[in-house]
Amino acid sequence: MSLYNTSVKVTEFIIGGLDTTERPLVSGTVILLIFVLSVLANILNIFVIIYDKNLHKPMYILICNLGVVDILYTSSSSPTVIRVLFAGVKTISYVPCLIQMFAFHLGEVMEMFVLAVMALDRLLAVGRPFQYHIYLTNKRTLVLTFFLWIVGCAFVAILPATVIPLPHCSTVLKYTFCSFTSIIRTICTDPDYYFNLAAILMFFLLFFTFSFICLSYVGIVWFVKLSSSNDKKKMGSTCFSHLISVTCYYFPIFIITVLTRFGLVLTLEARNGLLFGCILGPSLVNPFVYCLRTKEINSRIISLFKNIKAS
């Protein structure tokens, strides 16, 4: 009970996770450029898909949703990091901090959900090409997308509901922005229970979505083996973009979330690097991968710029 007596009323947090950053202006410039480029690229992809009625198909709806998730994911944290590195403004008010935590983890969870659904989309496209538009219509895709957003919000709502009643003995966040882990480290009580709670939730989501993706690709590989050489090339091309997105997202988050719970010790700099890679990597790679490797989007963007130039 004595721990509760030392609690303080928190009106704002101090972000201390970037205090040891060497050359903060250089780091801030790199993060700013990646952030701006990723947001603009995702907005462009979303705009092209919405504008062109020929792209109103399940696969492109999913790509559009992935762009929305990527914008949410990177915008939830990057501006705070850029502000700290550029302007040295290290404070963030309590309520905006909780909102940032919710938005960040919602983007994190939705990235898993969208990649899992896109794996299902590829499985149906490869395994049942002639029945694809029967199984996965635009309406069903939109309903599934809406449902996943509701489920994602329900999962993530557990985190602020857990944090709000807890007393705080510190106002300094040891990490780079407002995440559940960084806020829990400021509480007066033993944080292990809350770390374990977050780890169980994250492990469940990681295991479920990643296993689903792996099983989908087992099915895809099986169908590819039964196909002709020309079909194999087409199938490989249509799945390659998704595999890049899955690798960019799951590799760093697997290290941060899973391996650290099994004894892997990361320095603050290594953790920050992996975290930035997990946030900025997919948000930057995804729009370019789908733009460059999806002929329909690529041709629409080229024609769009030609029309702008001609006008």
Side-chain angles (χ1 to χ4, degrees), residues 25-97:
L25 290 178
V26 175
S27 300
T29 301
V30 172
I31 294 173
L32 175 62
L33 290 175
I34 295 174
F35 170 66
V36 171
L37 187 60
S38 64
V39 170
L40 291 178
N42 278 295
I43 290 175
L44 179 61
N45 267 5
I46 293 169
F47 172 77
V48 169
I49 292 171
I50 293 176
Y51 177 76
D52 194 331
K53 292 184 178 180
N54 294 322
L55 298 179
H56 292 181
K57 301 174 183 178
M59 183 180 76
Y60 300 108
I61 293 174
L62 294 175
I63 293 175
C64 185
N65 188 40
L66 180 64
V68 173
V69 172
D70 284 337
I71 292 173
L72 170 67
Y73 195 25
T74 188
S75 298
S76 64
S77 55
S78 297
T80 297
V81 175
I82 293 167
R83 184 183 64 180
V84 173
L85 293 173
F86 266 115
V89 179
K90 299 180 180 180
T91 58
I92 181 170
S93 299
Y94 182 75
V95 173
C97 186

